Amino acid sequence: RRLPRMTVDARYRALPDGNHAGGDALLALHDYRCLWGTNVAVFCGKILMKMASLQWLYESTGSSMVLGGLGVIQLVTQVPSILFGGVLADEYDRRWLVASMQAVAAVVCSIVGVLAFFEELLPWHVYLSVGCLTVSGRLESSARNSLTPQVVPPHLVQRATSTNVVTDNVGEIL
């Protein structure tokens, strides 16, 4: 089901202080703050799940080959996801796609958490969850990145895109 496309509201074209180039201009936009906040939250969740999966697999199997299997799973699922992510972001409402993929990721993480709590988690569960999280993450990322021009005025798109890239890169380093 297609929903109407979002457009930049005219009230964002001129900020109250008239400053279009200030560093706080982006954070003055409520929609961008929400988008950036979800970007940070999703990134933190991905890192925690990745670290927990690697740690659990190594502790439960002691095999570096099993850990290498995660890389294979990510590669096999990532390439098609990247290709289809852009198409889906163009065809469907991006807000709906982002919300749906985040819901899928939350369900997958919850299932893994329940299986781990009851000590029923097996390596194939982790492989399957990593595959699902990779697909949902790539689809969500494509839609989220293409939302930026819809929530900021045209003169701030470059700054917003740069801020998103810097946020992702700083998170990778930390």
Side-chain angles (χ1 to χ4, degrees):
R1 176 179 135 195
R2 290 189 182 178
L3 299 174
R5 301 251 183 218
M6 287 191 327
T7 58
V8 177
D9 192 29
R11 64 190 159 111
Y12 293 146
R13 299 215 186 279
L15 297 174
D17 62 358
N19 183 7
H20 295 294
D24 61 343
L26 282 175
L27 296 179
L29 304 174
H30 176 265
D31 291 343
Y32 181 75
R33 277 195 319 265
C34 291
L35 184 64
W36 184 79
T38 60
N39 187 19
V40 170
V42 166
F43 182 79
C44 291
K46 284 193 293 190
I47 291 299
L48 288 173
M49 183 64 179
K50 184 177 182 179
M51 289 173 37
S53 298
L54 290 170
Q55 184 70 29
W56 184 88
L57 276 175
Y58 187 73
E59 285 181 1
S60 65
T61 65
S63 170
S64 59
M65 292 295 287
V66 173
L67 292 178
L70 279 181
V72 172
I73 296 292
Q74 287 180 320
L75 178 65
V76 168
T77 57
Q78 192 170 29
V79 173
S81 301
I82 291 171
L83 296 175
F84 288 117
V87 172
L88 291 175
D90 289 339
E91 280 297 313
Y92 295 98
D93 182 64
R94 293 173 180 123
R95 295 171 294 175
W96 176 84
L97 191 57
V98 168
S100 299
M101 293 303 104
Q102 288 179 351
V104 167
V107 168
V108 168
C109 290
S110 298
I111 290 170
V112 169
V114 168
L115 288 171
F117 180 77
F118 290 110
E119 297 182 4
E120 297 293 326
L121 190 61
L122 298 172
W124 73 268
H125 293 132
V126 175
Y127 283 159
L128 184 63
S129 68
V130 166
C132 289
L133 291 173
T134 300
V135 170
S136 68
R138 288 295 158 206
L139 296 178
E140 184 259 343
S141 177
S142 296
R144 187 171 18 91
N145 290 337
S146 60
L147 273 175
T148 300
Q150 294 181 351
V151 299
V152 299
H155 63 278
L156 290 176
V157 169
Q158 184 177 5
R159 181 179 305 252
T161 303
S162 299
T163 302
N164 292 343
V165 170
V166 167
T167 302
D168 289 343
N169 289 337
V170 166
E172 288 287 336
I173 292 169
L174 297 178

